[in-house]
Amino acid sequence: MTHATREVPVVAIVVAAGSGSRLGGDVPKALREVGGVPLVARSVTQLAAGGVDAAVVVVADGTQGAFEAALADAPIPCGIVPGGAERQHSVANGISLITLHGSLEDAEVVLVHDAARAFVPAEVVARVIDAVRQGADAVVPVVPVVDTIRELVDEASVVIDRSALRAVQTPQGFKRAVLAEAHDALAESGQVVTDDAAAAEYLGHEVTLVEGSREAFKVTEPFDLVIAETLVARGKLS
Ligand code: CTP
Ligand code: MG
């Protein structure tokens, strides 16, 4: 593991240990390339551009070497740690690494980012960091929902007022202690959550919303990779 020897105020946990079953393919999703650059490397570059000083990248067992190679030219120090069965276990492993390493322990702000959101604009990253620095416990970038949404109710369905709905993205930002305590509490209770803000909320912390971006979409299905490849080739996505 390489890490900064100076004080490190902002650390990002980049979760990349999923199987990528909806995308398919022979290599982990985060190692898939767009414009010749692996998604995980794009994510780390965008995080660094937004103000992150070091990253802990959480990867599936047996893929550490491939991730080290993919991150060889990363603009910030990257530690690599094995993931867990569920996303929240992967995040917990990332937190452990931050706690283990003295220089990373100085981090006041910890971001958690899906490696698959490889095109997140630097402004979104900076907005999340700023909100935590200004005192928020837990921060999530959100975007309005563009589709009309129907909720299935028994055999029928009802339209939901989408003006009150927001889709949640990453990076999510936390005071380090808030994130660590939230994940400790989850581990103790066995509770399963879908994101880290929900983990903080579980402990009673308020969640602050900041503006996200459509460019922070998560590469999930083959269609997303085609869109990304096209936009990068046209210079419309960094
Ligand atoms: N992730 C993780 N550990 C897990 C599951 C997911 O680190 N046990 C990470 C993924 O690598 C991804 C992010 O969490 O960067 C968001 O998850 P998702 O987009 O669902 O990725 P996968 O779980 O890999 O994909 P799928 O659900 O299609 O299998
Ligand atoms: Mg998944």
Side-chain angles (χ1 to χ4, degrees):
M1 137 110 198
T2 53
H3 59 85
T5 48
R6 64 192 169 85
E7 195 177 66
V8 179
V10 184
V11 173
I13 296 169
V14 180
V15 283
S19 58
S21 55
R22 287 170 288 182
L23 185 64
D26 299 333
V27 297
K29 179 161 77 175
L31 292 177
R32 294 289 287 274
E33 295 184 356
V34 171
V37 181
L39 295 178
V40 69
R42 288 184 172 276
S43 271
V44 169
T45 297
Q46 293 306 103
L47 290 166
V52 169
D53 296 289
V56 172
V57 182
V58 189
V59 309
D61 250 346
T63 65
Q64 282 92 333
F67 274 91
E68 264 164 34
L71 291 165
D73 297 327
I76 51 176
C78 293
I80 294 181
V81 63
E86 300 291 336
R87 184 184 179 283
Q88 74 190 53
H89 303 132
S90 295
V91 175
N93 287 3
I95 295 169
S96 307
L97 189 74
I98 292 176
T99 309
L100 273 174
H101 283 270
S103 63
L104 296 181
E105 211 171 55
D106 295 327
E108 289 163 20
V109 181
V110 179
L111 269 47
V112 181
H113 185 58
D114 293 329
R117 296 185 188 272
F119 307 96
V120 60
E123 303 86 71
V124 173
V125 177
R127 227 173 265 147
V128 171
I129 294 170
D130 281 352
V132 180
R133 284 212 168 114
Q134 281 166 29
D137 284 342
V139 180
V140 301
V142 296
V143 288
V145 173
V146 293
D147 294 313
T148 294
I149 306 281
R150 295 190 74 88
E151 182 182 8
L152 306 181
V153 183
D154 299 326
E155 304 290 280
S157 64
V158 291
V159 172
I160 304 290
D161 176 12
R162 78 163 178 237
S163 67
L165 297 180
R166 295 292 179 273
V168 171
Q169 303 182 322
T170 74
Q172 301 188 351
F174 304 87
K175 287 182 183 139
R176 189 173 62 83
V178 168
L179 184 69
E181 283 164 22
H183 275 272
D184 282 350
L186 285 186
E188 218 160 278
S189 69
Q191 181 95 3
V192 176
V193 293
T194 55
D195 73 350
D196 303 283
E201 215 163 31
Y202 178 71
L203 269 195
H205 295 285
E206 196 182 319
V207 174
T208 300
L209 307 184
V210 298
E211 193 184 343
S213 165
R214 289 198 77 171
E215 292 177 17
F217 70 98
K218 183 160 67 69
V219 172
T220 304
E221 298 175 333
F223 177 83
D224 303 318
L225 217 44
V226 174
I227 296 283
E229 197 70 67
T230 306
L231 292 177
V232 166
R234 290 183 187 175
K236 305 276 188 205
L237 206 55
S238 60

